[in-house]
Amino acid sequence: MSTSTSFNRLTPYVFLAPAVVIMALALLYPLGYMIFGSFREWDPSQAMGESTYVGLKNYITLWNDPNFRESTFVTLKFAISVVTVEMFIGVGLALMLDRNLRGMSLLRTLFILPMMIAPVVVGLIWRYMYHPTLGIFNRGLKGVGLESVDWLGQHALLSVIIADIWQWTPFIFILALAALQSLPRSALEASRIDGATGWQQIIYIKLPLMMPVLIVTCLLRLIDAFKVLEVILVMTEGGPGLSTEILALRISRTATEFRELGVAAAMSNYLLMLLLFITVLMLVYNRVMEHRAARASRMIEESD
Amino acid sequence: MALEEKQQHPGFYAILTMLIIMAVGPILMMLINSFKLDVDIISGTSGLLFMPTIQNYETALCDILPYEPEHLDFCALKFGGAFINSLIIALVSTLLTLVIGCMAAYALVRFRFMGRDTASATTLMVRMVPPAVLLVPVFGLWNNEFCIDKASWLGSLIRDNFGGRGDVCLAGTHSGIILIYVAMNLPFVIWILQSFIVQVPRQLEEAARMDGAGPFQVFFKVVLPLIKPGLAAAAIFTFRIAWNEYLLASALSDRDTKTVPILIVNNMSEFNVEWGVIMATGMLLAIPPIIFTLFASRQIITGMTAGAVKG
């Protein structure tokens, strides 16, 4: 056996090398490049070297820019409402449908369709459904003799939120269902013997036991909610006004329309810091809860 | 089980039916509308009573059809070319991501080495980076830095053979888009596959090693076949992102490398939307993911839960 094919200390590095090279080249280097560029006045036609250093100017301008604040506010409003509603509906549906049904796998297949198709297509479908005269909603309202609603005008943010809920509630549903079905049967049996009602089982046993999975699910969904862009771009293009212009959309507009790469880079950095903050917060919370649970179980063991 | 099924309230089935209609209805509506002429869509009085036509699909695919559709004098929408671009980009980046990600996941699970924790943590952290954040640096780098000087021999070789002016850059090429997709998807693929590789019994690998297999043989002949479900899940998720992505592709592509989502967005922002054709293009973009979902929903669900729960 030649040395090149045998196991040695270099083996893991050989396996890891391609991934490291690609991620360093196309993820980490660009991120560093972005941070570097956010301190510069930078035009798309310039190479980085030709741009001028302006210190914290981009960050300060943004901080005082009412439009940027509005965008941040819209982003937070969108992400928080979307995740809250999806968690409630998704977990609720999972609790309701956690039974032995024939055709459950078909049901799950149909449910994941919306999240598999392209965001661009989702935006297209919903833009059609919200259409003032052609859309199914206004036709329905007209059919029962009600006033038509200007969905993508007056209620743009709400309409966008509804579309996202349609697309992503199944994600929460599937994960919550998986968590439910892996719960220890013994705990549920014991509570049933003790005479717990269905609701008591849900509140005191199922939900607490599902909590770790639900927190991870919530975190994943929250991070993804900040990535949403195409659906909103196709449905409203950020309008009317700034009512649906989330940060991701504003970054892309600043870079392509206003041609201010430095400002866009600073904005990306703000968004990244926001996401980092949320991630760390959630992880710390998770760690604390785990710690507390471990201590509780230890106390129970000691008291025995 | 049979007993429990009998106990279900009829109202329960009503709710279930409603849920299914809500989930699938909008997609079905797009499918139906893609077979309607614009006249039928706009009149809209008869939901299902119309003459189905494939005219919209002919308009969309006019540049790769072997015949010339009668209703068109000029092929404006170069959808066929974009479809081929999308296919190339999605397939190549899926394949590359899988191979590279698999190897990395294997190294992270099976070996103890210096820098393992750093690699693991970095993988986790970059997962949260939104594509929009990558837009600015990737645009800058791919256009200005990741270039071959046109004066160098390789650069001049490419310029002489393929034409064009200026330095040879990654932006505007298939490989430029593929590179960023592979990088974007790697953290996720590594994360998912780790949970599958952990389950491969070590004894199998050791037995193969005893028989004189090298690390690559062990990996390709023993480990890979055992994690096929995980690979399928990872492949579908990677393909889905590469196939559906719009923002970075729109920043990096030029006239010849446009992907389908870009064409759809461009046509949507025009003043007068031709709904029939747009629905047909949307349907064409949606078909591959829908097929995957129908045939591999079990793998998708396994992958989703593995990604979220076992991390």
Side-chain angles (χ1 to χ4, degrees), chain B residues 90-241:
Chain B
L91 288 179
V92 174
S93 54
T94 307
L95 191 72
L96 283 177
T97 317
L98 273 194
V99 175
I100 296 171
C102 221
M103 284 166 57
Y106 181 64
L108 288 176
V109 171
R110 276 293 185 261
F111 297 94
R112 302 270 162 271
F113 57 92
M114 249 180 64
R116 178 176 176 274
D117 293 335
T118 328
S120 236
T122 319
T123 321
L124 235 173
M125 291 312 272
V126 289
R127 243 190 98 177
M128 62 162 215
V129 176
V133 165
L134 290 172
L135 176 70
V136 174
V138 162
F139 179 82
L141 284 173
W142 268 235
N143 272 304
N144 295 317
E145 314 271 323
F146 289 177
C147 294
I148 308 170
D149 195 336
K150 66 177 165 188
S152 69
W153 75 267
L154 187 63
S156 60
L157 193 77
I158 295 175
R159 275 288 163 262
D160 290 346
N161 286 318
F162 298 98
R165 285 174 289 118
D167 292 341
V168 183
C169 290
L170 260 185
T173 62
H174 287 129
S175 13
I177 304 177
I178 291 170
L179 174 64
I180 187 64
Y181 284 173
V182 173
M184 249 171 49
N185 281 316
L186 267 179
F188 181 69
V189 166
I190 294 175
W191 170 279
I192 279 197
L193 289 180
Q194 273 182 326
S195 67
F196 283 91
I197 294 179
V198 168
Q199 294 168 8
V200 174
R202 234 163 216 268
Q203 293 88 325
L204 280 179
E205 288 172 54
E206 269 151 24
R209 235 191 266 192
M210 287 300 171
D211 293 343
F216 283 97
Q217 276 172 311
V218 171
F219 176 68
F220 283 107
K221 293 203 172 140
V222 180
V223 179
L224 275 196
L226 286 173
I227 57 165
K228 266 185 197 152
L231 286 177
I236 291 171
F237 280 104
T238 319
F239 181 86
R240 172 180 151 258
I241 291 180

Side-chain angles (χ1 to χ4, degrees), chain B residues 261-289:
Chain B
I262 303 175
L263 272 196
I264 294 184
V265 171
N266 287 350
N267 281 298
M268 286 298 283
S269 47
E270 276 167 20
F271 180 69
N272 210 348
V273 179
E274 290 176 35
W275 284 108
V277 179
I278 282 283
M279 296 272 183
T281 53
M283 208 55 226
L284 285 171
L285 184 64
I287 281 171

Side-chain angles (χ1 to χ4, degrees), chain B residues 32-44 50-56 71 275-277:
Chain B
I32 292 168
N33 274 335
S34 71
F35 289 108
K36 281 184 187 175
L37 292 176
D38 273 4
V39 194
D40 286 324
I41 295 178
I42 289 164
S43 74
F50 65 95
M51 272 301 288
T53 166
I54 56 161
Q55 197 174 309
N56 293 324
H71 65 278
W275 284 108
V277 179

